[in-house]
Amino acid sequence: MRQDWLVVGISGATCSGKTTLATGLRERLVATCGFGCVQVINQDDYFLPDDHPQHQHIDHLGHVNYDILTALDMERMCDDVQTILSHQATSALNVLIIEGFLIFNHPLLVELCNPKFHLHVPYEVGFARRRTRTYDPPDCPGYFESCVWPMYEKHFHELKDRTDIRLLNGAMAAEKCLEYVCDILRQYF
């Protein structure tokens, strides 16, 4: 990794505002003078095809478990991250924002990201927000309760005691989250 890249990690629960925060941060940084390249990598772009043999199935739901690392092509995602970080930088400071629900559960990504932010929402907020989204394939009845939230709790438990991850309230206004992250990032510039 080159020293002229700041790698910002944004993780969190389903529908906690990860993509909104990453997009807002990118727009804010692009509008700020002094930055070269500002890129975003979204973990959701790396889901394996529905018929991939690596998928684990939830038999009682008749549905693939999309809420685990093996549902994602993490090798390709890490290769893409490394490719970006190895390119000749365009200025003294360039920013890569890595956004995704399991980025801090992957050993390479958790070490690359600094600073790290994790958006948490209560079960009820995540459930209500997820009901307004359309997924392909769609969530089957009971998927959130049986898989999404229990997997989130399991994965969050693996990282919740890390002192290098800042926890954010994903239920607060998106602009407040963005302002907080921007304030933290000022320490790095």
Side-chain angles (χ1 to χ4, degrees), residues 64-112:
V64 169
N65 183 350
Y66 292 102
D67 289 271
I68 52 179
L69 277 172
T70 56
L72 298 147
D73 188 343
M74 293 305 298
E75 184 176 339
R76 185 170 60 92
M77 182 178 182
C78 289
D79 286 348
D80 289 351
V81 167
Q82 296 288 15
T83 297
I84 290 169
L85 296 178
S86 68
H87 278 129
Q88 181 65 37
T90 57
S91 78
L93 186 58
N94 301 278
V95 180
L96 174 60
I97 302 164
I98 303 175
E99 176 268 315
F101 69 113
L102 290 175
I103 62 170
F104 299 149
N105 300 92
H106 188 275
L108 174 67
L109 298 180
V110 73
E111 293 309 316
L112 281 177

Side-chain angles (χ1 to χ4, degrees), residues 144-186:
F144 185 89
E145 305 92 298
S146 297
C147 189
V148 173
W149 199 258
M151 289 289 97
Y152 168 68
E153 288 181 324
K154 175 186 179 295
H155 295 125
F156 179 64
H157 183 74
E158 293 171 5
L159 58 91
K160 71 178 179 69
D161 293 327
R162 289 186 65 121
T163 58
D164 61 338
I165 298 175
R166 291 175 173 87
L167 297 179
L168 303 176
N169 179 357
M172 72 179 173
E175 188 62 29
K176 286 190 177 217
C177 283
L178 178 60
E179 289 303 322
Y180 174 79
V181 169
C182 287
D183 284 345
I184 297 298
L185 291 184
R186 287 185 184 95

Side-chain angles (χ1 to χ4, degrees), residues 28-40:
R28 179 81 55 97
L29 293 174
V30 166
T32 304
C33 294
F35 289 101
C37 181
V38 181
Q39 293 195 39
V40 176

